[in-house]
């Protein structure tokens, strides 16, 4: 989509638009529209995406009331301080794990006014020795529900492709949560 048509089309992501595939922009706009229609708010708890999901959702004009807040909890200390993830849980399972993703999503709901939260933790680039490059854990949860987990194995494709792929998965998981009744 050209810059000119972006300016004319309300609902498209403005700031990140030149860098994002159209399907990602469309998914973000669709998610926020569905949230607005259902009267729901979303929150994000991000590690390896560094706030990219929150940035994408706040770039869509006319849907600000559907996004409550985003937590960027990149370090282990931040995951504990901001989202209430227990240090012993991080030590036992590792910061990049199903258990920590689920703890992050619970914390995002606890510390926000959102109805749905999405958490993501992983290795966007090279992983430490003994860990898997491109491993990303996602957790999504509706308030009062149970977290849904997904692990994605992107492999050693690099930070950009892992982050774009993560956007696609995160947006789909949140949209599926909106559509739950």
């Amino acid at each position: 989509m050209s810059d000119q048509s972006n300016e004319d089309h309300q609902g498209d992501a403005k700031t990140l638009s030149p860098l994002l595939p159209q399907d990602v922009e469309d998914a973000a706009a669709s998610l926020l529209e569905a949230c607005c229609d259902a009267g729901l708010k979303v929150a994000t708890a991000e590690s390896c995406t560094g706030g990219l999901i929150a940035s994408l959702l706040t770039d869509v004009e006319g849907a600000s009331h559907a996004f409550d807040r985003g937590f960027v909890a990149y370090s282990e200390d931040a995951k504990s301080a901001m989202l209430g993830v227990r240090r012993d849980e991080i030590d036992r399972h590792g910061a990049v794990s199903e258990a920590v993703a689920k703890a992050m999503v619970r914390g995002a709901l606890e510390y926000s006014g959102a109805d749905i939260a999405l958490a993501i933790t992983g290795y966007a680039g090279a992983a430490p020795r003994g860990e898997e490059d491109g491993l990303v854990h996602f957790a999504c949860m509706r308030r009062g529900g149970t977290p849904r987990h997904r692990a994605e194995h992107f492999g050693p494709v690099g930070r950009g492709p892992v982050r774009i792929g993560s956007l696609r998965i995160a947006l789909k998981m949140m949209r599926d949560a909106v559509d739950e009744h």
Side-chain angles (χ1 to χ4, degrees):
M1 182 175 265
S2 72
D3 288 341
Q4 180 60 42
S5 60
N6 263 354
E7 292 171 8
D8 295 337
H9 184 16
Q10 186 175 11
D12 282 345
K14 302 290 187 210
T15 306
L16 295 173
S17 186
L19 306 174
L20 293 177
Q22 188 62 47
D23 69 295
V24 172
E25 286 189 44
D26 293 345
S30 175
L31 167 65
L32 291 171
E33 182 179 340
C35 286
C36 289
D37 291 347
L40 298 171
K41 290 185 178 189
V42 295
T44 59
E46 301 180 64
S47 183
C48 64
T49 48
L52 189 57
I53 301 164
S55 180
L56 173 62
L57 294 176
T58 58
D59 277 352
V60 177
E61 285 188 36
S64 61
H65 54 284
F67 182 75
D68 183 64
R69 69 192 72 187
F71 300 91
V72 179
Y74 201 69
S75 70
E76 293 175 4
D77 288 340
K79 288 172 180 63
S80 293
M82 295 170 64
L83 299 167
V85 179
R86 293 188 345 254
R87 287 302 304 205
D88 66 319
E89 195 162 20
I90 294 171
D91 294 341
R92 185 172 44 248
H93 301 286
V96 177
S97 65
E98 177 178 351
V100 169
K102 287 179 175 179
M104 289 171 65
V105 81
R106 287 184 188 103
L109 283 173
E110 182 178 341
Y111 298 113
S112 75
D115 305 290
I116 296 168
L118 182 284
I120 181 169
T121 183
Y123 302 115
R129 180 180 285 260
E131 300 293 334
E132 179 184 346
D133 292 351
L135 172 63
V136 180
H137 288 274
F138 302 82
C140 190
M141 183 176 166
R142 276 186 83 131
R143 189 172 294 283
T146 57
R148 294 198 175 163
H149 170 261
R150 177 172 173 176
E152 191 65 33
H153 306 270
F154 292 104
V157 297
R159 294 179 76 76
V162 169
R163 286 177 165 189
I164 295 297
S166 294
L167 284 174
R168 287 185 175 107
I169 292 166
L171 293 167
K172 179 171 182 355
M173 288 180 78
M174 286 187 282
R175 180 58 194 261
D176 289 348
V178 170
D179 294 339
E180 289 177 9
H181 290 21

